Amino acid sequence: MGKLPIVRTRAALRREIGVWRSERLRVAMTPTMGALHEGHLSLLRLAATRADRVVASLFVNPTQFGPGEDFQSYPRDESRDAALLQAAGCDLLYAPPVEEMYGDGFATAITVSGVTAPMEGAARPGHFSGVATVVAKLLIQGLPDVAVFGEKDYQQLQVIRRLTADLDLPVEILPAPIVRDPDGLALSSRNAYLTPAQRAVAPALYRRLIEVARAVAGGAPIAAAETAGVEALLAAGFDAVEYFEFRDPADLARLGPGSISGPARLLAVARLGRTRLLDNIAVAA
Ligand code: PAF
């Protein structure tokens, strides 16, 4: 097996995808910021089941990081990522430099309203505009038939679904289930920041999500269950719980305070030191 082909310009990306198109092949794209783990590779494998060719993008997008966030220190190791991608079935890596994505005078931003307002949107001003703009650019640059995004960033997935529908992008958005360590911790590049003591506390987040989701699915009132969930996480050793909320699975409107009446999503962020652990699960009504 030769090395994974890498392109760094929009023109080269379009050329390669154009060749596949001329052969009537179906193309999938998996956008990433690198620092790949099994979660990303599962997106890639899912993409490979839905298309003849898979292109991954690797771009640490500066516009989705806030001041004081980890843009500078975000782990970057392209050759490791390329080897992992290739082993998972990737056919092409698109790894543009920042100047290729944001040329001189770049002045456009996409703002998705509604679904971006609560949770991550409230905690990270500007984050979703950065995500929406770069994802729109990547989808327009590659025009894949299908693009795969993980449910780990569930709010991001809903933002991307909204923008794809609103901008008439002819791309199917395919969600991929969360991949977890055996003890339940959702995989994330940022888990690497956890100390051993914090790592030991971390799986309690998923356990509480399951427990509280079950209680609500069984008829418990939502508001009281949310409060109990927050208290249980603090008791388990988390330093703070930013949110632990039942929401509509599509528009992310807050649910409760009473019993559940249809499908829902339970989304949470709990902090260990400076590390924010995100997780969420589907709730059957
Ligand atoms: O989820 C991510 O890794 C990023 O937000 C994405 C979708 C690649 C956009 O930069």
Side-chain angles (χ1 to χ4, degrees):
M1 188 162 62
K3 271 181 111 174
L4 178 66
I6 302 179
V7 289
R8 302 200 184 273
T9 63
R10 292 156 282 175
L13 176 72
R14 290 208 176 106
R15 204 161 46 236
E16 295 297 321
I17 292 181
V19 172
W20 293 338
R21 292 240 171 274
S22 69
E23 294 165 1
R24 299 195 166 281
L25 297 173
R26 198 176 142 81
V27 179
M29 181 185 264
T30 59
T32 83
M33 297 204 303
L36 302 181
H37 51 65
E38 200 44 45
H40 299 104
L41 301 178
S42 76
L43 307 185
L44 214 101
R45 289 190 203 105
L46 180 62
T49 67
R50 297 289 291 261
D52 304 300
R53 294 287 181 274
V54 181
V55 51
S57 65
L58 193 176
F59 181 65
V60 185
N61 173 35
T63 68
Q64 69 187 77
F65 290 80
E69 289 188 359
D70 53 352
F71 173 66
Q72 296 300 342
S73 59
Y74 202 81
R76 290 166 172 87
D77 186 346
E78 186 184 287
S79 47
R80 172 187 171 276
D81 287 341
L84 290 171
L85 287 167
Q86 187 170 29
C90 183
D91 298 290
L92 179 68
L93 176 58
Y94 175 45
V98 172
E99 316 77 72
E100 179 71 9
M101 290 299 272
Y102 301 112
D104 274 352
F106 188 89
T108 300
I110 293 178
T111 307
V112 179
S113 52
V115 79
T116 57
M119 301 185 288
E120 294 310 288
R124 306 179 68 189
H127 169 68
F128 281 129
S129 179
V131 169
T133 306
V134 82
V135 169
K137 283 171 67 67
L138 288 166
L139 296 183
I140 291 167
Q141 289 168 359
L143 284 181
D145 297 287
V146 54
V148 185
F149 295 89
E151 287 186 333
K152 165 80 175 16
D153 292 306
Y154 189 83
Q155 189 176 8
Q156 168 176 283
L157 172 65
Q158 297 314 112
V159 171
I160 291 167
R161 282 181 157 145
R162 185 76 261 159
L163 96 93
T164 308
D166 290 354
L167 297 182
D168 309 314
L169 299 179
V171 180
E172 179 198 346
I173 303 300
L174 182 66
I178 298 175
V179 178
R180 301 179 180 281
D181 273 336
D183 62 9
L185 176 64
L187 297 192
S188 162
S189 307
R190 292 187 172 112
N191 291 351
Y193 300 149
L194 298 174
T195 65
Q198 291 170 337
R199 178 64 188 77
V201 172
L205 177 56
Y206 183 49
R207 287 201 294 270
R208 293 290 91 79
L209 285 172
I210 294 176
E211 206 174 272
V212 173
R214 262 195 208 135
V216 164
I222 287 174
E226 289 174 349
T227 307
V230 171
E231 282 167 5
L233 287 172
L234 294 174
F238 282 92
D239 296 304
V241 180
E242 293 186 14
Y243 55 83
F244 189 95
E245 296 172 352
F246 286 84
R247 289 188 174 266
D248 180 278
D251 67 12
L252 300 181
R254 190 88 191 259
L255 301 178
S259 300
I260 197 168
S261 57
R265 200 91 192 174
L266 174 57
L267 302 105
V269 165
R271 260 199 300 111
L272 285 167
R274 285 171 55 84
T275 307
R276 303 173 74 241
L277 295 185
L278 279 79
D279 205 345
N280 66 85
I281 58 172
V283 186

